[in-house]
Amino acid sequence: MAAQLLGEDLVTCSICLCPYLDPVTLPCGHSFCGTCIQDSWRCCEKTCPECRQPFPEGAKLCRNVTLSTLLQALPRALQAQPPATLRAEPSASHSASCPRHGRPLEFFCRTEGLCVCSACTVHECRHHERALLDVERRGREDQLKARVVVTRQQVSEAESQLQELQLQKNQIESSACTLASAVTSRFSSLFQALEKQKALTLRSIEVGKKQALGQALSETQRLTSHLEALSQYDRSVQDLLGQVDNCIFFQELRHLSEPVQTLGPLPALQWDEEEQLNTVNELLSPLCRLLLEDKPSRVAGKAAQAGPVEALGPPPAVPSTMCPLRKKLWQNYRNLTFDPDTANQYLSLSHEDQQVTHRFQAQRAAGPGSFELWQVQCTQSFQAGQHYWEVRASDHSVTLGVTYPKLSRRKVGNHTDNIGRGPCSWGLCIQEDNIQAWHNGKVERLHGVPGRLLGVDLNLASGCLNFYSLEPQTERLHTFYAVFSQPLFPVFWLLEGRTLTLCHQPEAKLPPGPREEASALS
């Protein structure tokens, strides 16, 4: 009751808003708790919190004896007062005044994330980062509005992408249905055409067989008749030689028929298996191209670049780093050598028959098995499986190919090579400004200029012969499709001054021998 008569403001510190504790008086006459004023001066200037009058330098705080005595006389009245309410959490504070100090909430404590009054900034939040409440509110609202704009844009973009995805799904379903129907129809037509072509081809083979067998039967009858006539003539002569009577001998000799004429050479039967097989190849080759041809890999990765090969130097080792396509081809790598017996007399072999150079003067006399053309054949041949080899050319104007054993060694016509000129060989001619693919006398001109390092991949199982350029990147140049029926020998042609080097790799597999080829065929 006495505290109420005196007034709470008279016994309350204006800093902590609690009853004075060890009150002190400043020169201006205002009183504060001793601890409160010292804490306030640690972060602020030494002025009076009430009137802002500076505190003199060197002055000391004086204890307010009268106020201390008054507070000691009223201990019970002060204890009866309700304790100060602690500051509420921001989620529980909805009033516009500080729950502890009762003052307006004018500031925002960024450190604690709370709305505070001016008294809080002096005591509890004096070391915290603070801002005006209205300024902080506007800043936070601007951030939220910006987030809402971005969120709505994301929602709009997601909805647009969802619609586009649904449209693509519908297009894919429609396209797949149409494509499946078209493919089914085409395969049905293709099966019918194949069956029809199969029947015609078998009929052609049967007709050719009958003609050849008919010719053989005719020759058999002719030879049989000839043998019978010879036998009859032999018996007549033996009977005449056994006649004792001279008159009868000369009489019968006069009536003896003339001896049977000589038969002459046996005519060849009109049966050409190679021609029949070429007919099948011509029919199947376009189909094989559609089914087996791979698109040229423009992004297969840069191939490993082997160093340049000197005309008289050994081939360099290929670096280990290479593109995936070339790594796959290397699984069937073969080390080849040139066959000296087949080399043209102007071709010089060196480096253990791994390098051939076209000289301007003859290097030897022509042998019985050497080419009259500027060509050389490899010692190795392949009849089954898959095989890959690489060759480096010193310049353009060279031809790489494969051939059956019966490739002619003689020069016919004006051509300086015969690789791909007939049905038994396939060749790729590298010119200065173009590439030519030759087979059976037909040429296909290709675009592009390959590098000097070239690769050849022969897959006898699938009937594919691929040529690759390996510099500056691995790129397929051309593919031949055929049903290979005989062993294939690598064969090469080169112009004057050119050098070809067969690249050898230490880890390469050896070419399969005849027994391995026979087992692969069975």
Side-chain angles (χ1 to χ4, degrees):
M1 188 67 177
Q4 293 177 358
L5 292 175
L6 291 173
E8 293 183 1
D9 290 342
L10 298 178
V11 294
T12 302
C13 175
S14 61
I15 295 179
C16 65
L17 301 180
C18 295
Y20 286 113
L21 181 64
D22 297 331
V24 294
T25 302
L26 304 183
C28 62
H30 293 111
S31 298
F32 305 94
C33 296
T35 305
C36 291
I37 190 63
Q38 290 181 4
D39 290 342
S40 176
W41 286 350
R42 287 193 182 96
C43 60
C44 303
E45 296 180 356
K46 284 189 176 184
T47 59
C48 176
E50 293 285 344
C51 63
R52 300 299 179 187
Q53 182 178 342
F55 185 77
E57 284 291 336
K60 295 183 179 181
L61 293 172
C62 298
R63 182 170 177 268
N64 192 326
V65 180
T66 302
L67 193 55
S68 298
T69 305
L70 179 61
L71 289 172
Q72 290 177 0
L74 300 172
R76 295 181 180 178
L78 294 175
Q79 293 174 1
Q81 294 181 6
T85 306
L86 296 177
R87 196 185 324 172
E89 293 296 326
S91 60
S93 177
H94 300 284
S95 65
S97 60
C98 179
R100 180 169 183 176
H101 303 131
R103 295 189 177 187
L105 299 174
E106 301 174 350
F107 301 93
F108 182 78
C109 178
R110 291 176 177 173
T111 303
E112 295 187 7
L114 299 175
C115 298
V116 296
C117 65
S118 58
C120 294
T121 62
V122 175
H123 188 62
E124 289 88 348
C125 302
R126 63 179 178 273
H127 298 302
H128 296 172
E129 183 182 1
R130 302 181 298 272
L132 291 175
L133 189 60
D134 293 341
V135 175
E136 186 71 18
R137 173 66 183 262
R138 288 194 298 271
R140 297 297 178 94
E141 286 180 350
D142 292 341
Q143 292 178 0
L144 290 176
K145 290 178 181 178
R147 291 180 182 177
V148 169
V149 172
V150 174
T151 302
R152 289 179 179 176
Q153 291 178 351
Q154 292 177 349
V155 170
S156 177
E157 183 180 356
E159 290 177 348
S160 175
Q161 291 182 356
L162 188 61
Q163 293 177 359
E164 182 181 355
L165 182 61
Q166 185 62 38
L167 179 61
Q168 292 180 0
K169 287 172 57 180
N170 295 337
Q171 291 177 349
I172 290 174
E173 291 178 355
S174 175
S175 175
C177 182
T178 304
L179 183 61
S181 177
V183 169
T184 301
S185 176
R186 291 186 182 184
F187 268 96
S188 178
S189 301
L190 180 61
F191 290 152
Q192 293 177 3
L194 284 175
E195 288 294 334
K196 182 178 180 180
Q197 197 60 55
K198 174 185 174 182
L200 291 176
T201 304
L202 293 177
R203 187 182 305 169
S204 174
I205 293 175
E206 188 66 24
V207 169
K209 183 189 75 172
K210 288 183 178 180
Q211 291 178 352
L213 293 180
Q215 183 184 1
L217 179 61
S218 176
E219 288 297 320
T220 301
Q221 293 175 351
R222 185 176 68 87
L223 290 174
T224 302
S225 300
H226 185 72
L227 287 174
E228 291 179 354
L230 290 175
S231 178
Q232 180 65 33
Y233 181 79
D234 182 77
R235 288 195 298 270
S236 300
V237 171
Q238 293 297 331
D239 292 342
L240 183 59
L241 291 175
Q243 182 59 248
V244 180
D245 192 337
N246 293 329
C247 294
I248 298 175
F249 173 80
F250 285 104
Q251 183 179 1
E252 290 182 359
L253 179 61
R254 188 175 53 185
H255 296 290
L256 183 66
S257 61
E258 294 295 328
V260 180
Q261 296 181 355
T262 306
L263 283 175
L266 180 67
L269 300 181
Q270 299 301 317
W271 172 256
D272 191 347
E273 179 182 351
E274 191 67 32
E275 182 181 355
Q276 297 287 347
L277 192 58
N278 287 337
T279 303
V280 176
N281 284 338
E282 290 179 1
L283 294 173
L284 296 182
S285 198
L287 179 61
C288 292
R289 185 181 298 275
L290 291 175
L291 294 179
L292 300 177
E293 186 174 32
D294 296 328
K295 294 182 179 180
S297 177
R298 302 290 181 185
V299 291
K302 290 186 177 181
Q305 297 185 6
V309 178
E310 299 293 339
L312 298 179
V318 178
S320 58
T321 304
M322 63 180 66
C323 71
L325 174 59
R326 196 174 175 198
K327 278 188 177 180
K328 183 178 180 181
L329 293 172
W330 266 44
Q331 295 176 2
N332 302 294
Y333 202 100
R334 303 290 182 252
N335 288 332
L336 305 180
T337 54
F338 294 115
D339 186 357
D341 295 336
T342 65
N344 177 268
Q345 58 181 342
Y346 285 88
L347 302 184
S348 172
L349 302 185
S350 60
H351 295 89
E352 299 181 355
D353 296 335
Q354 300 173 28
Q355 192 174 88
V356 58
T357 303
H358 190 156
R359 306 295 183 183
F360 291 93
Q361 296 180 352
Q363 302 298 300
R364 72 186 73 81
S370 61
F371 284 100
E372 290 184 356
L373 307 120
W374 298 334
Q375 295 177 181
V376 62
Q377 193 169 284
C378 281
T379 305
Q380 296 78 13
S381 65
F382 308 108
Q383 193 168 0
Q386 186 172 359
H387 313 276
Y388 174 77
W389 58 92
E390 294 179 357
V391 59
R392 179 173 288 277
S394 62
D395 206 343
H396 58 80
S397 299
V398 297
T399 300
L400 286 67
V402 295
T403 178
Y404 288 154
K406 62 181 181 180
L407 182 65
S408 175
R409 301 294 195 264
R410 302 292 173 256
K411 182 177 180 181
V412 179
N414 297 325
H415 294 294
T416 58
D417 73 294
N418 62 354
I419 303 175
R421 308 292 179 175
C424 64
S425 60
W426 296 258
L428 191 75
C429 182
I430 310 298
Q431 297 294 338
E432 183 177 6
D433 55 353
N434 66 84
I435 311 171
Q436 300 175 8
W438 283 89
H439 174 61
N440 202 16
K442 299 178 181 178
V443 62
E444 181 178 353
R445 301 186 184 276
L446 311 174
H447 298 288
V449 179
R452 298 292 177 251
L453 184 60
L454 304 166
V456 183
D457 178 48
L458 174 61
N459 192 332
L460 293 159
S462 61
C464 296
L465 175 62
N466 293 290
F467 292 88
Y468 293 92
S469 173
L470 306 177
E471 292 178 342
Q473 64 183 15
T474 301
E475 179 182 0
R476 187 177 62 84
L477 300 175
H478 186 69
T479 300
F480 289 103
Y481 299 96
V483 180
F484 301 113
S485 59
Q486 300 180 33
L488 289 171
F489 289 83
V491 63
F492 305 89
W493 170 88
L494 58 162
L495 193 64
E496 295 99 329
R498 305 302 191 263
T499 296
L500 288 176
T501 304
L502 295 170
C503 299
H504 276 211
Q505 303 305 327
E507 303 299 328
K509 302 176 183 178
L510 294 175
R515 293 184 179 179
E516 293 174 310
E517 292 181 349
S519 61
L521 290 173
S522 59

